[in-house]
Amino acid sequence: FKDYEPTLLIPIGFGCILGNLPVAANMTGPDGLFGILYEAGISNELFPLLIFLGVGAMLDLRPLLSQPIMIVMGALAHLGIFATLVVAILFGFNLAEATAIGMIGAIDGPTVIYVNGKLEHLFATPGLAAAIAVTAYSYMSLVPIIQPPLMRLFTTKKERAVRMEYTPRPVSKTTAIVFPVLLTIIAAVFLPEAAPLLATLFLGNLLKESGVVAGLAETARTAITNTATIFLGITIGSTMQAATFLNVGTLKVLILGLLAFSLNTIGGLLFGKLVCVLSKWKINPLVGAAAISAFPMSGRLAQKVALEEDNQNFILMHALGANAAGQIASVLAAGILLQ
């Protein structure tokens, strides 16, 4: 696992080992290490929110703000969440369970954990919360394996070779600061369930864009994000206890999670193809695949696949704009579903 998100997989894997030891009850009980961490950071959604603070401090919204079409692309690349929700209900899951499973398609572990925490009391399937959380983080680590074949399958060589001029519309510092603040206020009014996620995401971004608190922005990007990731990963891993985790329900979650992920990627690619035609071949459809929430991994993958067809084709900034849109869209989708 050293090449595929070891930051996530090492804590989760070690937590899984500890959670299945004969003495696990001493650690997973209310007064044990994992019980305390679960109550302190998972059940109240603290760890995901802290991670979002760090993601916001890494996020550059300028490519998105200079290309508004990316906002639409980010929204349409998340329709797989809603389609999978319907399929999950057909698989026998209740509405709350189907909602949490569908969110796996965003490929955004913190958002999935957040939704999980809000709905877990409505789950009827034992061990489902752990299965959803682990599946979400597993597919986050497998983005470099799953997305490129889909990119090649749903686009032609000609489409992948489309070059995009990067002459972005200038984005002022004022705009970069006002946009996240304004969007947070709007979300707090119309989608209050999504407000905490957007608030922490954009607070981190404000720390970065303000330019006057470099130390706080760096702390959010590194110390806070890394600490929250360690505690979240090891705690989630400890919930993977064989008695409740190894069952047919978990297998269904793995299948549905892959379906949601694939549909989101395909949806983004198909919209990218449409925009490519409407723009008279000025938009590379691969940008659509980056419109999921795996920031910045999907943006980099879109660039990598584009370079396979033309080693002078640079679409990275466009792809990162779509990637930022996907990050915001996943939070809005979560808010809509929770509402």
Side-chain angles (χ1 to χ4, degrees):
F1 49 64
K2 68 182 179 69
D3 294 325
Y4 297 105
E5 293 301 310
T7 304
L8 298 173
L9 295 181
I10 289 177
I12 290 175
F14 193 69
C16 178
I17 294 171
L18 294 177
N20 285 279
L21 293 176
V23 295
N26 296 332
M27 291 182 286
T28 57
D31 298 324
L33 170 63
F34 297 130
I36 293 172
L37 287 175
Y38 195 92
E39 288 299 318
I42 303 292
S43 63
N44 61 7
E45 299 93 38
L46 176 62
F47 292 158
L49 295 178
L50 290 177
I51 291 174
F52 256 65
L53 181 69
V55 171
M58 303 174 201
L59 204 61
D60 185 359
L61 295 177
R62 283 180 171 78
L64 168 61
L65 293 173
S66 67
Q67 305 168 93
I69 188 64
M70 299 303 177
I71 297 174
V72 181
M73 194 171 287
L76 293 179
H78 283 76
L79 293 179
I81 293 173
F82 300 90
T84 303
L85 185 154
V86 175
V87 176
I89 290 175
L90 296 177
F91 267 47
F93 293 103
N94 65 34
L95 182 58
E97 294 171 337
T99 298
I101 292 170
M103 279 306 305
I104 295 172
I107 310 302
D108 185 354
T111 302
V112 173
I113 299 295
Y114 182 85
V115 173
N116 239 357
K118 292 286 187 182
L119 299 178
E120 187 176 358
H121 67 285
L122 298 173
F123 290 177
T125 307
L128 184 66
I132 292 172
V134 173
T135 299
Y137 275 100
S138 296
Y139 286 138
M140 279 182 68
S141 68
L142 293 175
V143 168
I145 294 176
I146 296 173
Q147 272 208 311
L150 291 174
M151 292 180 187
R152 299 184 190 102
L153 181 62
F154 285 89
T155 58
T156 64
K157 287 188 175 183
K158 180 182 178 182
E159 289 170 337
R160 294 194 295 275
V162 170
R163 292 191 176 190
M164 298 177 67
E165 294 183 7
Y166 190 62
T167 53
R169 187 182 311 166
V171 177
S172 68
K173 189 180 186 71
T174 300
T175 301
I177 291 175
V178 170
F179 173 75
V181 174
L182 186 61
L183 191 56
T184 302
I185 294 172
I186 293 172
V189 174
F190 295 102
L191 287 174
E193 293 287 359
L197 285 172
L198 277 177
T200 49
L201 180 72
F202 288 144
L203 172 58
N205 190 250
L206 182 61
L207 296 176
K208 170 179 173 288
E209 293 294 344
S210 68
V212 294
V213 286
L216 295 182
E218 180 64 21
T219 298
R221 277 194 299 269
T222 56
I224 290 178
T225 301
N226 290 336
T227 301
T229 298
I230 290 172
F231 287 151
L232 187 147
I234 197 169
T235 306
I236 290 299
S238 72
T239 64
M240 297 170 60
Q241 295 168 15
T244 55
F245 188 78
L246 298 178
N247 53 49
V248 175
T250 299
L251 180 60
K252 290 181 180 179
V253 171
L254 288 168
I255 294 171
L256 290 169
L258 180 59
L259 174 67
F261 181 10
S262 300
L263 289 178
N264 274 9
T265 300
I266 293 168
L269 286 168
L270 293 180
F271 183 69
K273 290 165 74 77
L274 175 62
V275 175
C276 177
V277 173
L278 295 178
S279 67
K280 298 181 180 179
W281 294 82
K282 294 180 180 178
I283 302 291
N284 191 312
L286 292 174
V287 170
I292 62 170
S293 195
F295 181 88
M297 197 186 316
S298 284
R300 292 171 180 166
L301 284 173
Q303 172 65 75
K304 180 181 177 182
V305 175
L307 288 174
E308 292 175 358
E309 303 301 333
D310 178 357
N311 63 9
Q312 296 298 313
N313 190 8
F314 300 103
I315 65 170
L316 181 61
M317 295 309 294
H318 301 279
L320 290 178
N323 216 175
Q327 183 77 61
I328 297 170
S330 71
V331 177
L332 296 178
I336 291 169
L337 290 172
L338 288 172
Q339 287 292 101

